[in-house]
Amino acid sequence: MAAEEPQQPQPEPLAGSDADGVNCLAYDEAIMAQQDRIQQEIAVQNPLVSERLELAELYKEYAEDDHVYQEKIKDLLQKYSYIRKTRPDGNCFYRAFGFAHLEALLEDGQELQRFKEVSARSKEELVAQGFTEFTIEDFHNTLMELIERVERRVPLPELLAAFNEPATSDYLVVYLRLLTSGCLQRHRRFFEQFLEGGRSIKEFCQQEVEPMCKESDHIHIIALARALHVSILVEYMDRGEGGATNPHVFPEGSQPRVCLLYRPGHYDILYK
Amino acid sequence: MEARYNLKSPAVKRLMKEAAELKDPTDHYHAQPLEDNLFEWHFTVRGPPDSDFDGGIYHGRIVLPPEYPMKPPSIILLTANGRFEVGKKICLSISGHHPETWQPSWSIRTALLAIIGFMPTKGEGAIGSLDYTPEERRALAKKSQDFCCEMCGTSMKTALLPLTSGSVSSQADKEAKELARQISFKAEVNSSRRSDAGPSNTSGLNHSAASREPQQDGAARAFPDPASATSEAQSSSAAAAQEHPPAVSSSSTSLSPRQRRAQQQSQRRAPASADFNRAQQPRGNTNHTGSTVLIVLLTFALAALIFRRICLANEYVFEL
């Protein structure tokens, strides 16, 4: 056997490069399996959208000697009283926005009509932009059905149940993602200047907006607020100095309709 | 079909729509669900005109997950093409240079165009990918037109509309190329297959007489009968568990049959010991079930020969 070694030139490098390929795939699989496990764990522990909770509950999430957060929660409590949590699955911004706005519309018939018109129109705009009608219409229908339920003044628990049903809830998230993508692409010139790494808006939408579970940043919020003409306020709470959360309104200077709490990587709904 | 499915299911609703949308063949692609299963489709695509796959018409299966369109479809090619392994599930990749993932607003049509656009790209040794020579791919492209699918009864000669040089088809070509830049396909890896990679990898050199048959079997299997590929796809996951180390096997799967034969012939000519020659042969997509069957068959054949020999000898004695 030993004598054969020198006459075996090719298997070595081949095996090496293939092992890399296999490792790469093994990585892929391992990452996907782990992602699945994490998602499942998160799903068991968190409803897609929770009941309304006392904001003071937040104190419990941080250690008592975690002064930065304890102080910021104290500050937040002066402005808000309740919180509604969303599942941290990367879709939380869209889900939080969708629920918070529709819930508010139960009490605001005028805004409901305006929102309904904008939403109804939005599909044609997307189709005109090149989205395939038959692939997006199921998602659009889900939004319209939810709006109609709100119009019929369904009790709040029913709306909450709809948002906790993955088929409805995720379809709404897909449509809100499509609206965000559509708006980013319509105002390509404006948004492109915020992108890093030389990506085009189209690429950014394909990579960071349209696929499920991709987290949202300022640029997504600006785009969705613009697409639906709904002003969004986000209270940013992180480990930074200052003793208070940083509120941002999108678009700037408008009267916010939806209030969200942002903690690194996650959005929840805030109530006065 | 309508009566058998829950029309409230988003996947069913969507697939019904897609079936209607893709009802008529175009000159580039056609796909329809099987009569008895809305979640399994058969498709036919035309090889991209400016490539080695020009003139090829390729057939395959699409398997839709129950969560479709929230989760992507898997694609299995049934026609030998020299780019994707036949009978192997290929799905969207999350790794490498293509960070994009499946989007719910994509459709089966998107997947078909992506496959067309992806064919001329390099396999680069990925599992499930093949890097045949241009000549071999062209030969396979020609041969592909004679294929007729036993399962759905589609004949490649009539599966697609004849190619027109109109704007619609060039639009489809453009879309296909665009998609290929965004989407990457990879084969599904069986986890049990990975786990046995380590130990058998090191023992690769020590296989001598026992691995003779499986090696030849591997070379033969590189050109599987397209009709039997469907059942192979079903059993492949089970067989994969027993397969030879992927590190070695995938290196040989990216060789075309002709390259492999050439390699084997050159090895046969080498004046070394017979055992060594065998050890050096590439170890193809072999599996132990296949080799066991072969060994048993050969043993039977040998026994039959010996038996006959004895009979003949006896007869001779009797006649005397």
Side-chain angles (χ1 to χ4, degrees), chain B residues 35-307:
Chain B
E35 255 173 57
D36 59 348
N37 188 356
L38 186 60
F39 288 82
E40 176 162 349
W41 292 42
H42 273 213
F43 71 89
T44 309
V45 292
R46 187 183 294 280
D50 45 1
S51 71
D52 302 331
F53 307 98
D54 185 21
I57 296 174
Y58 305 98
H59 194 67
R61 299 163 60 206
I62 302 177
V63 180
L64 287 314
E67 302 92 351
Y68 184 81
M70 302 306 285
K71 295 266 161 69
S74 311
I75 290 166
I76 298 153
L77 274 151
L78 300 177
T79 321
N81 54 82
R83 175 62 185 83
F84 298 110
E85 257 180 75
V86 166
K88 197 159 228 169
K89 225 181 209 182
I90 43 180
C91 37
L92 289 156
S93 171
I94 61 157
S95 71
H97 317 290
H98 304 270
E100 285 86 353
T101 39
W102 171 258
Q103 295 167 26
S105 61
W106 284 349
S107 63
I108 289 173
R109 178 177 178 273
T110 320
L112 294 180
L113 286 175
I115 278 279
I116 297 174
F118 205 64
M119 287 189 89
T121 62
K122 286 214 164 63
E124 287 173 342
I127 290 183
S129 284
L130 302 170
D131 276 318
Y132 282 21
T133 64
E135 299 78 51
E136 284 159 340
R137 286 177 171 177
R138 279 198 282 271
L140 287 174
K142 205 160 185 195
K143 203 174 146 222
S144 69
Q145 299 170 3
D146 303 326
F147 182 70
C148 186
C149 180
E150 281 179 7
M151 257 173 103
C152 68
T154 309
S155 159
M156 293 310 106
K157 291 214 166 72
T158 53
L160 300 177
L161 292 180
L163 200 59
T164 54
S165 51
S167 59
V168 183
S169 52
S170 61
Q171 177 65 29
D173 279 335
K174 227 180 86 193
E175 264 183 86
K177 276 182 195 154
E178 176 118 334
L179 279 164
R181 274 193 279 122
Q182 292 172 27
I183 307 174
S184 170
F185 290 93
K186 71 165 176 84
E188 206 172 55
V189 184
N190 193 308
S191 55
S192 54
R193 182 180 153 154
R194 258 201 335 266
S195 62
D196 70 0
S200 43
N201 193 9
T202 50
S203 66
L205 267 177
N206 300 328
H207 279 256
S208 53
S211 56
R212 185 193 325 171
E213 277 78 33
Q215 281 157 11
Q216 281 153 6
D217 179 40
R221 273 172 56 98
F223 248 128
D225 176 15
S228 68
T230 343
S231 55
E232 258 181 48
Q234 302 288 0
S235 62
S236 67
S237 57
Q242 304 177 339
E243 244 169 293
H244 280 302
V248 183
S249 72
S250 60
S251 75
S252 47
T253 48
S254 62
L255 290 175
S256 64
R258 204 167 301 173
Q259 288 165 332
R260 202 172 311 194
R261 244 175 280 132
Q263 200 174 343
Q264 279 171 3
Q265 267 159 17
S266 71
Q267 281 160 3
R268 245 171 249 136
R269 262 180 255 122
S273 82
D275 267 11
F276 169 46
N277 271 342
R278 281 155 203 155
Q280 214 185 24
Q281 281 171 11
R283 315 233 332 271
N285 239 359
T286 57
N287 67 53
H288 286 310
T289 352
S291 58
T292 313
V293 169
L294 237 140
I295 289 168
V296 169
L297 277 176
L298 283 170
T299 315
F300 273 129
L302 199 68
L305 277 172
I306 293 169
F307 185 72

Side-chain angles (χ1 to χ4, degrees), chain A residues 2 108 134 161 172 191 225:
Chain A
D108 189 342
F134 82 90
L172 177 75
F191 286 113

Side-chain angles (χ1 to χ4, degrees), chain A residues 87-246:
Chain A
R87 184 180 294 173
D89 60 358
N91 300 315
C92 50
F93 164 67
Y94 301 98
R95 227 185 295 270
F97 168 84
F99 186 83
H101 193 50
L102 286 176
E103 183 186 19
L105 292 186
L106 280 171
E107 310 294 326
D108 189 342
Q110 206 182 344
E111 166 65 8
L112 176 67
Q113 286 315 312
R114 187 204 64 79
F115 186 67
K116 191 179 173 185
E117 275 164 39
V118 171
S119 303
R121 255 203 328 266
S122 63
K123 188 182 88 179
E124 279 110 74
E125 279 171 19
L126 289 179
V127 172
Q129 269 180 266
F131 287 87
T132 315
E133 179 160 14
F134 82 90
T135 61
I136 66 169
E137 71 186 359
D138 286 346
F139 307 118
H140 178 248
N141 289 343
T142 302
L143 171 65
M144 296 317 290
E145 278 161 24
L146 281 169
I147 293 176
E148 276 155 30
R149 281 200 227 183
V150 171
E151 212 173 9
R152 289 199 308 270
R153 303 265 162 144
V154 293
L156 188 58
E158 201 175 300
L159 189 65
L160 185 61
F163 267 82
N164 275 300
E165 186 195 30
T168 307
S169 204
D170 286 346
Y171 264 44
L172 177 75
V173 169
V174 172
Y175 195 66
L176 294 178
R177 284 181 179 278
L178 289 169
L179 286 175
T180 308
S181 170
C183 182
L184 286 169
Q185 293 183 54
R186 267 200 304 280
H187 304 285
R188 175 168 317 175
R189 285 236 183 87
F190 171 73
F191 286 113
E192 216 141 39
Q193 51 190 329
F194 300 108
L195 293 187
E196 286 162 8
R199 276 193 281 189
S200 72
I201 276 289
K202 177 95 183 160
E203 283 167 337
F204 179 78
C205 288
Q206 303 268 0
Q207 293 165 7
E208 306 291 341
V209 184
E210 289 182 44
M212 288 295 275
C213 302
K214 292 284 183 181
E215 288 178 15
S216 305
D217 214 333
H218 276 216
I219 190 167
H220 303 80
I221 305 176
I222 296 169
L224 186 59
R226 197 159 168 173
L228 291 170
H229 304 289
V230 177
S231 170
I232 303 169
L233 180 147
V234 182
E235 294 278 357
Y236 286 87
M237 183 161 86
D238 56 25
R239 217 156 264 292
E241 295 295 314
T245 54
N246 296 317

